[in-house]
Amino acid sequence: MIDVADLVRRRGGRAVVDGVSFTVAAGEIVGLIGLNGAGKTSLIDCIAGLARPDAGLVIVAGHAPGSVAARRETGVLLQQPGLPARLTVAETLALFAGLHGVAVDERLAAALGLDALAGCRVDRLSGGQEQRLALALALQSGAPALVLDEPATALDPLMRRDLVTLLGERRAGGAAVLLATHDLAEASSLCDRVVLLHQGRLVAQGRPADLISATAATLADVVLTISGEPGR
């Protein structure tokens, strides 16, 4: 469903994504793991069609990223979602539902605690409330491919638990889910597989439990002690 092959993305003459390859199948949640600056966001920008790779190939649901067909088949959550500040929550949900040709998902809105905020303007939301709205916009699209950059940011523990449930439902429905995080524990609870990035390169991938068991020392070094020139 999401195929990345030998992807390279350069910024300022330096490769912030350097020859990365992996896939996300239908009915699978894959975590993109790495410290801040590992290249996760640059990689997601390429998959979402917001940046053009310098080399390599990305295919999303059979289409080139950024194409009309790919946009129709992809639900995206970015670190800076750029929501319409002057619209209410209800108006924003309706606007984005119309763009995807679906009805507003009232059950999803309620699950994310947005029903009580329906009449509130977006520019008056807290950080956590805005994140919940951005999640709803990505999920209510019904797209078969979901690309989520740090989806648990600013969520309280109860809402993080609900996020696990919601993404599990999408996986059970056949969606391919790619989510970026720097939190290995979060990835272990959410993901079927993880892809570990360091300085733009893929250094390990596999099931969370297997990867931790097989490469505990390497993971500890990368996650806890390695420092290097950051990507984006």
Side-chain angles (χ1 to χ4, degrees), residues 44 75-79 81 131 134-135 138 147-152:
I44 280 182
V76 179
L77 170 67
L78 302 176
Q79 283 190 4
Q131 182 74 353
L135 270 168
V147 181
L148 311 175
D149 198 352
E150 304 282 359

Side-chain angles (χ1 to χ4, degrees), residues 33-199:
I33 311 299
L35 299 172
N36 291 333
K40 301 186 302 295
T41 294
S42 291
L43 179 53
I44 280 182
D45 284 348
C46 292
I47 295 171
L50 301 175
R52 182 173 296 178
D54 292 285
L57 181 68
V58 179
I59 299 294
V60 180
H63 308 288
S67 65
V68 172
R71 291 179 188 275
R72 190 180 300 118
E73 301 292 318
T74 311
V76 179
L77 170 67
L78 302 176
Q79 283 190 4
Q80 298 179 339
L83 301 176
R86 295 186 176 276
L87 295 185
T88 67
V89 168
E91 290 168 341
T92 304
L93 288 168
L95 172 64
F96 280 77
L99 292 174
H100 280 275
V102 299
V104 173
D105 189 334
E106 302 289 354
R107 175 184 171 275
L108 175 63
L112 289 169
L114 297 173
D115 46 351
L117 300 169
C120 185
R121 267 182 29 174
V122 170
D123 59 2
R124 295 177 181 172
L125 298 177
S126 69
Q129 291 168 340
E130 186 172 341
Q131 182 74 353
R132 284 187 270 146
L133 176 57
L135 270 168
L137 298 179
L139 295 175
Q140 82 167 1
S141 67
L146 294 173
V147 181
L148 311 175
D149 198 352
E150 304 282 359
T153 297
L155 299 183
D156 62 40
L158 288 177
M159 194 56 65
R160 286 177 181 237
R161 182 196 64 190
D162 291 341
L163 175 62
V164 173
T165 300
L166 290 169
L167 293 183
E169 290 175 353
R170 296 307 163 102
R171 171 177 56 196
V177 183
L178 175 67
L179 66 89
T181 179
H182 61 271
D183 187 334
L184 187 58
E186 177 181 283
S188 295
S189 68
L190 280 170
C191 302
D192 302 298
R193 289 190 297 117
V194 294
V195 172
L196 180 62
L197 294 184
H198 175 60
Q199 294 184 347

